[in-house]
Amino acid sequence: MLKAGFSRTDVTPPLGAYLSGYFFERYAKGVLDPLELNAIAFSDGNETVLLIAADFIGIDKLHCDMLREQISAHVGVPTEHIMLACLHQHTSVCFAQGDTHTRNDRTYADSVWRKYCDVAQMALDDMKEATLGFAAEDTAEPIAFIRKYLMTDGSIIGHPFGRQHEIVRRLGDADNTVRLLRFKRENANDIALINFCTHPDVVKGEYISADWPGFVRRFVEHDLDGVSCLVLTGVQGDSNHSDYLKTPQKGYEHARFMGRTIADTVLRIWEKTEPQTNTAVGGCIETIFLPTRTDGIEEYEQSKALLDAVNNKTPGVTATGAVLGRARRVVQMRRDPLLQQVPVTVMMLGSIAFVGFGGEPFTYYATAIAEACPDVTVLSACCCNGYEGYLPTVEEYERPESYEGNSTPFPRELMDTCINTAVRLIKHGKAL
């Protein structure tokens, strides 16, 4: 018999917290809406899995490993059954080796670590008998867009600011499917788990916000009485909210619009979920080791000089995102280990596969896994059990204007290795 439980706790940082996600420093001046940890625990009577979704831009693998050990010791769930996903809002904070700001605020960081254990325990304590249903439907209009454009000069760029008139076409369509898991429980709140794939990079600015995922949670819980909602950001490395074929939108009100659009889709399919009779539970995490990418190592001095000039706001010094991404990677090379690590996480709930990658995977990652595993419903997750960089497609390495291709520390075999690992874990039953 399936059991499921839900819990939530506030993890909003103090004012003055460093907001990660861009090429310039930002410090929180206020709070538009709170940041949260939302957790679901589910069990088939033999195995139990914990999924915790955090309103953080990311937590690196080193700290995720420590967190999972701490949670496991606190609640008794095996570390390989704990999935820590960050929703990747750019009006939030980061816990990573290269971003010392948040980690150095020990009072806040220690409270967050303890709250992970608390939210895990509360979700387990809330477990009740449940039935599971699944439904999926595209939003009424697209709100996610592939952020790659072919230009009239033959180049492919990600953010054609001021160059819309040079766009030939967008490179593909983003995934605008809303995927819904409904845990229906007697004498307790139903639980809605909503999976949607695009960057939560809409609000921008210097005010803390959970961006569109926060709006989805609030709208769903307002519209559906007695429902608790968790949002899981899927693959998003090459998609965002900006449609440069029209007038790009951004800001708090556009995040609200996106949240409303996703919530409306949930309302349309809420009573249409298909019952899932197979609810066997399992999970595993496998770490991929790949050699650190070293092209450009001879550019160290000029890369460091460029970054110093940009950080110091030296007059007349400008650079594209691709150039800055390459410079950051080259400078970081001297501190990087010989091998890079990418955790691949697969949690199974019957024929539902939660597939998470420890970075920012491109849309193709989830598409390829779904095509290779047609009998499984794939719900993808970015920044899962790690936050190690962009996970691009092979083509991005050939594009000089690609920020993701220039900044990733991983070699070209990354994509095939990640996808093949996830498929193997699903097909060979390693997660069950």
Side-chain angles (χ1 to χ4, degrees):
M1 171 63 74
L2 176 68
K3 289 186 176 182
F6 176 87
S7 67
R8 169 178 293 156
T9 192
D10 189 297
V11 287
T12 307
L15 298 188
Y18 181 79
L19 302 179
S20 188
Y22 297 122
F23 293 111
F24 51 89
E25 292 185 346
R26 293 175 301 147
Y27 297 89
K29 292 181 177 179
V31 179
L32 294 173
D33 40 67
L35 305 185
E36 300 172 346
L37 298 181
N38 287 276
I40 290 180
F42 44 87
S43 174
D44 61 4
N46 296 312
E47 303 291 345
T48 300
V49 161
L50 274 167
L51 194 167
I52 304 176
D55 290 333
F56 298 141
I57 195 165
I59 303 177
D60 66 13
K61 181 181 181 298
L62 174 68
H63 291 88
C64 281
D65 287 350
M66 292 190 296
L67 257 178
R68 289 188 296 108
E69 291 285 353
Q70 182 174 310
I71 294 167
S72 179
H74 190 77
V75 302
V77 174
T79 57
E80 64 270 19
H81 285 184
I82 299 174
M83 184 173 183
L84 306 181
C86 290
L87 303 191
H88 197 62
Q89 293 95 331
H90 284 50
T91 39
S92 182
V93 296
C94 176
F95 295 88
Q97 285 282 70
D99 193 339
T100 59
H101 300 82
T102 308
R103 292 189 296 112
N104 286 345
D105 184 348
R106 292 313 314 167
T107 300
Y108 174 63
D110 289 346
S111 72
V112 168
W113 258 230
R114 178 55 190 264
K115 285 181 177 182
Y116 264 97
C117 292
D118 290 347
V119 80
Q121 186 64 65
M122 290 187 293
L124 292 167
D125 292 343
D126 185 59
M127 283 202 300
K128 306 288 193 306
E129 288 188 5
T131 58
L132 178 66
F134 173 77
E137 186 174 298
D138 284 0
T139 53
E141 60 180 294
I143 56 174
F145 306 92
I146 294 295
R147 59 182 192 181
K148 300 290 175 181
Y149 295 85
L150 175 64
M151 311 300 285
T152 54
D153 63 3
S155 63
I156 295 172
I157 62 176
H159 297 282
F161 299 116
R163 297 180 60 188
Q164 284 92 326
H165 62 286
E166 299 177 50
I167 296 174
V168 177
R169 60 181 173 84
R170 187 187 298 112
L171 262 63
D173 296 319
D175 183 356
N176 276 277
T177 304
V178 176
R179 296 170 177 85
L180 166 69
L181 285 183
R182 180 182 179 182
F183 296 86
K184 192 171 184 178
R185 306 191 300 169
E186 293 291 333
N187 302 316
N189 276 11
D190 284 3
I191 302 169
L193 189 156
I194 298 162
N195 184 222
F196 191 77
C197 304
T198 200
H199 249 85
D201 177 25
V202 187
V203 175
K204 305 183 185 298
E206 298 172 301
Y207 286 78
I208 293 165
S209 172
D211 212 291
W212 64 258
F215 277 114
V216 173
R217 294 192 299 256
R218 294 193 293 275
F219 282 136
V220 167
E221 292 179 358
H222 175 270
D223 297 342
L224 295 170
D225 187 43
V227 171
S228 299
C229 178
L230 178 147
V231 173
L232 189 64
T233 304
V235 292
Q236 43 63 281
D238 60 344
S239 69
N240 67 10
H241 59 284
S242 297
D243 181 6
Y244 282 95
L245 296 177
K246 299 179 180 179
T247 300
Q249 301 292 315
K250 65 179 180 179
Y252 197 66
E253 288 306 311
H254 191 64
R256 184 196 302 273
F257 167 75
M258 291 177 66
R260 182 69 268 170
T261 300
I262 295 169
D264 285 347
T265 310
V266 172
L267 294 180
R268 288 198 301 272
I269 61 179
W270 183 250
E271 298 295 344
K272 301 177 183 178
T273 56
E274 295 183 5
Q276 306 293 300
T277 56
N278 179 4
T279 55
V281 170
C284 63
I285 303 166
E286 185 168 312
T287 299
I288 295 169
F289 292 86
L290 293 169
T292 296
R293 181 180 170 192
T294 58
D295 60 289
I297 194 168
E298 70 283 355
E299 303 166 13
Y300 177 85
E301 294 299 337
Q302 65 193 72
S303 296
K304 187 175 186 307
L306 173 62
L307 293 180
D308 289 343
V310 170
N311 290 333
N312 294 330
K313 298 182 173 62
T314 303
V317 177
T318 61
T320 65
V323 171
L324 287 173
R326 182 178 179 87
R328 282 182 172 179
R329 176 179 62 80
V330 168
V331 170
Q332 179 64 31
M333 239 184 266
R334 289 198 175 182
R335 298 189 292 270
D336 274 347
L338 293 176
L339 295 175
Q340 297 287 330
Q341 301 181 45
V342 187
V344 177
T345 302
V346 174
M347 300 292 169
M348 299 298 297
L349 178 52
S351 61
I352 308 291
F354 297 91
V355 181
F357 296 98
E360 299 184 62
F362 275 34
T363 301
Y364 179 73
Y365 281 58
T367 301
I369 295 167
E371 289 176 352
C373 304
D375 297 328
V376 170
T377 298
V378 175
L379 274 62
S380 62
C382 70
C383 307
C384 179
N385 289 331
Y387 178 47
E388 310 307 301
Y390 274 100
L391 312 179
T393 55
V394 176
E395 292 82 2
E396 287 302 299
Y397 291 85
E398 305 297 333
R399 296 170 178 167
E401 299 87 359
S402 170
Y403 168 67
E404 302 89 351
N406 275 284
S407 65
T408 183
F410 305 106
R412 293 166 189 257
E413 59 264 34
L414 168 75
M415 182 187 77
D416 287 342
T417 307
C418 283
I419 292 171
N420 292 340
T421 299
V423 170
R424 173 171 51 81
L425 294 178
I426 294 170
K427 281 191 170 184
H428 293 184
K430 298 291 186 181
L432 286 175

